[in-house]
Amino acid sequence: MVKNFTGRKTSFIPFRRTKPGIGATNHTTTNGRSTVTRHLTQYAFGACLSGTLVHFSDPTSPVQLNVFTYDENSYTEGKYKKVDEIPNLPLTSVAPMLWIDVDGVHQRDIIAQIGNRYDIHALVQTDITTTEQRTKLDVLDDALFLVCKLIFRDIGRTGHTVIEQISFYFKENLLITFQETPKDLFDSIKNRIRQGKGRIRRSKIDYLFYSLVDVIVDHYMDVLDTMGTKVESIDNQLMKTLKRDTLESIYDMKRDMLYLRAIISPLKEIIIKLQKEEETQIMQESTNIYLKDLFDHVVQVNDSIDTYREMLASFIDFYMMLNSNAMNEVVKTLTIISTIFIPLTFISGVYGMNFANMPELTYKYGYYIVLTVMASLAMFMLACFKRKRWF
């Protein structure tokens, strides 16, 4: 499905994403057939770098199940279309780790089958399929459920900055990730599993969870670096020209930063909660040091957002000051012109009176003398204004 945005033309365009139930075309899929239930349009906020067409996930596309089973000595990988095709492994402390990466959350029947097989609560399933959830962490009886946002540059296809929801459901030796569309953001993690590099194969499932979240935060930083470049370009543009488009760009960027802060800032409290999580015993104590590093990265991201927001606020003040100075220059120019014409108007008014006895009117060179006096007076006043540096 392709959405065509027809908003005002600026250098920065809002993030494009659809909101099922609130701002999108909602689809219900049954037996491979998709039915449109309502059609609304809404856009969240963010920065797109170019173009006006954005490609969203096709609700009629099949859901793909990417399954990784691994331990320190071996791993297996498979791609499936049906939940029944996934190997049924025991979820015990001695069993291998199982990672199920679900690409597509629009087919509720498949999500329900996964939920029934791995004992996922119905409310959690609803949160998975509702792709406009806020960033949150739910601590369940024997599992943890995290919802957050993927923010990344879709360089390969559209070049836009894309926001999607990703959900994590994990318990002992099991991690299930639910993504809206297939993408290659986690290919580095998958390659480390395939090649046996790093700590993933030698660690429990909580380290894989940390690694995936760390990749998400790294993409936050990449997007902010791109937006930081745009903020600097606005700064340079302000020093060169004063355009209304610049002010619109500043407000768009400021709104983008507010949106990013709203979806990223809760991660700080979530990571602290994961470090103190003792109910389910899923998070190992050995992973806490990595969570601390992840916490530092999230704090850095939030600090960058705050810095850019303050810069954009100062840009608005600076723009208003420049606009006020430009207006003052116009008023000063008009004032100088008016001041020069006050004595000239007085002289022309005096000699425009219809009195019978005005000797200058009958003088042969009177007209030229008056013009000379008026021109001399205007030049004298201009010289005085110039000396006082009024222009």
Side-chain angles (χ1 to χ4, degrees):
M1 177 174 62
V2 177
K3 294 289 185 182
N4 190 359
F5 180 72
T6 57
R8 63 174 180 262
K9 295 181 180 179
T10 61
S11 300
F12 301 88
I13 309 171
F15 278 116
R16 301 308 162 62
R17 83 128 21 281
T18 52
K19 297 185 177 182
I22 300 177
T25 303
N26 289 349
H27 296 260
T28 302
T29 304
T30 306
N31 297 327
R33 299 183 63 185
S34 178
T35 303
V36 178
T37 57
R38 67 173 69 99
H39 183 81
L40 299 172
T41 302
Q42 186 169 343
Y43 296 89
F45 302 116
C48 286
L49 303 182
S50 63
T52 57
L53 294 178
V54 179
H55 182 74
F56 295 102
S57 59
D58 184 1
T60 62
S61 62
V63 174
Q64 182 169 290
L65 308 174
N66 307 301
V67 179
F68 286 82
T69 304
Y70 66 90
D71 56 20
E72 186 175 358
N73 301 317
S74 63
Y75 94 97
T76 59
E77 177 182 359
K79 296 183 179 181
Y80 307 98
K81 299 296 183 182
K82 299 180 180 180
V83 179
D84 296 338
E85 298 174 354
I86 300 176
N88 195 1
L89 301 176
L91 301 178
T92 61
S93 59
V94 296
M97 305 299 112
L98 177 61
W99 175 25
I100 304 176
D101 185 23
V102 182
D103 290 336
V105 295
H106 49 273
Q107 296 188 13
R108 294 178 179 268
D109 52 346
I110 293 182
I111 303 300
Q113 292 174 20
I114 296 175
N116 293 333
R117 181 166 182 173
Y118 297 104
D119 194 24
I120 302 178
H121 196 277
L123 293 178
V124 175
Q125 297 180 34
T126 302
D127 289 343
I128 292 171
T129 56
T130 305
T131 56
E132 284 305 322
Q133 293 289 329
R134 63 180 179 85
T135 302
K136 65 174 183 177
L137 174 69
D138 291 339
V139 179
L140 309 175
D141 292 337
D142 61 343
L144 297 174
F145 176 65
L146 172 67
V147 178
C148 62
K149 299 296 182 183
L150 280 172
I151 308 175
F152 60 95
R153 291 283 309 283
D154 190 8
I155 299 177
R157 291 186 296 177
T158 64
H160 295 140
T161 300
V162 181
I163 296 181
E164 291 185 4
Q165 178 171 293
I166 182 170
S167 304
F168 297 85
Y169 180 86
F170 63 112
K171 55 175 65 175
E172 186 176 16
N173 295 356
L174 171 67
L175 173 62
I176 309 176
T177 54
F178 300 89
Q179 303 186 60
E180 293 187 50
T181 58
K183 59 188 69 68
D184 57 359
L185 297 186
F186 299 137
D187 280 359
S188 60
I189 304 296
K190 295 177 181 179
N191 289 331
R192 284 158 61 183
I193 295 176
R194 296 183 183 110
Q195 300 169 9
K197 295 182 179 180
R199 297 174 50 91
I200 296 180
R201 291 262 294 268
R202 294 182 284 109
S203 303
K204 303 290 284 184
I205 203 69
D206 61 323
Y207 186 81
L208 174 61
F209 165 75
Y210 150 75
S211 301
L212 296 175
V213 177
D214 186 54
V215 171
I216 294 174
V217 175
D218 286 343
H219 280 87
Y220 290 167
M221 300 176 73
D222 292 340
V223 170
L224 279 176
D225 287 342
T226 301
M227 299 182 72
T229 302
K230 298 303 176 182
V231 171
E232 293 177 1
S233 68
I234 292 177
D235 188 12
N236 296 330
Q237 187 177 357
L238 274 176
M239 301 303 297
K240 295 178 180 178
T241 58
L242 189 63
K243 298 180 179 179
R244 182 175 178 81
D245 288 346
T246 303
L247 183 61
E248 293 176 353
S249 299
I250 294 173
Y251 274 108
D252 288 340
M253 289 290 292
K254 189 175 182 181
R255 188 169 59 245
D256 298 343
M257 293 299 174
L258 288 174
Y259 182 76
L260 289 176
R261 180 175 175 81
I263 63 180
I264 295 177
S265 59
L267 278 178
K268 293 193 297 184
E269 288 73 20
I270 287 175
I271 295 174
I272 294 175
K273 190 175 181 180
L274 286 172
Q275 290 176 307
K276 299 179 180 179
E277 201 281 313
E278 298 179 352
E279 297 180 18
T280 62
Q281 299 297 324
I282 298 175
M283 301 301 300
Q284 304 294 315
E285 186 175 354
S286 59
T287 312
N288 279 346
I289 186 172
Y290 301 102
L291 291 178
K292 291 179 182 178
D293 181 69
L294 182 62
F295 178 81
D296 292 339
H297 290 171
V298 174
V299 170
Q300 181 180 350
V301 170
N302 280 279
D303 290 344
S304 298
I305 293 175
D306 291 339
T307 300
Y308 292 144
R309 286 179 58 201
E310 292 176 1
M311 290 178 64
L312 292 169
S314 66
F315 289 168
I316 294 176
D317 295 337
F318 186 60
Y319 178 91
M320 295 303 178
M321 183 189 70
L322 291 178
N323 191 52
S324 178
N325 288 340
M327 183 60 68
N328 290 339
E329 289 294 327
V330 173
V331 172
K332 183 171 67 174
T333 302
L334 295 176
T335 302
I336 291 174
I337 295 174
S338 300
T339 304
I340 291 174
F341 273 89
I342 287 176
L344 304 184
T345 304
F346 172 76
I347 295 174
S348 61
V350 168
Y351 288 100
M353 294 185 293
N354 295 322
F355 289 107
N357 188 15
M358 293 186 70
E360 295 86 354
L361 295 179
T362 60
Y363 188 65
K364 180 178 179 180
Y365 298 104
Y367 172 73
Y368 302 104
I369 293 174
V370 171
L371 286 181
T372 302
V373 171
M374 293 174 67
S376 300
L377 185 59
M379 296 297 294
F380 175 75
M381 295 180 68
L382 283 174
C384 292
F385 295 154
K386 185 68 174 179
R387 186 176 181 180
K388 293 180 177 293
R389 297 183 178 179
W390 287 5
F391 66 94

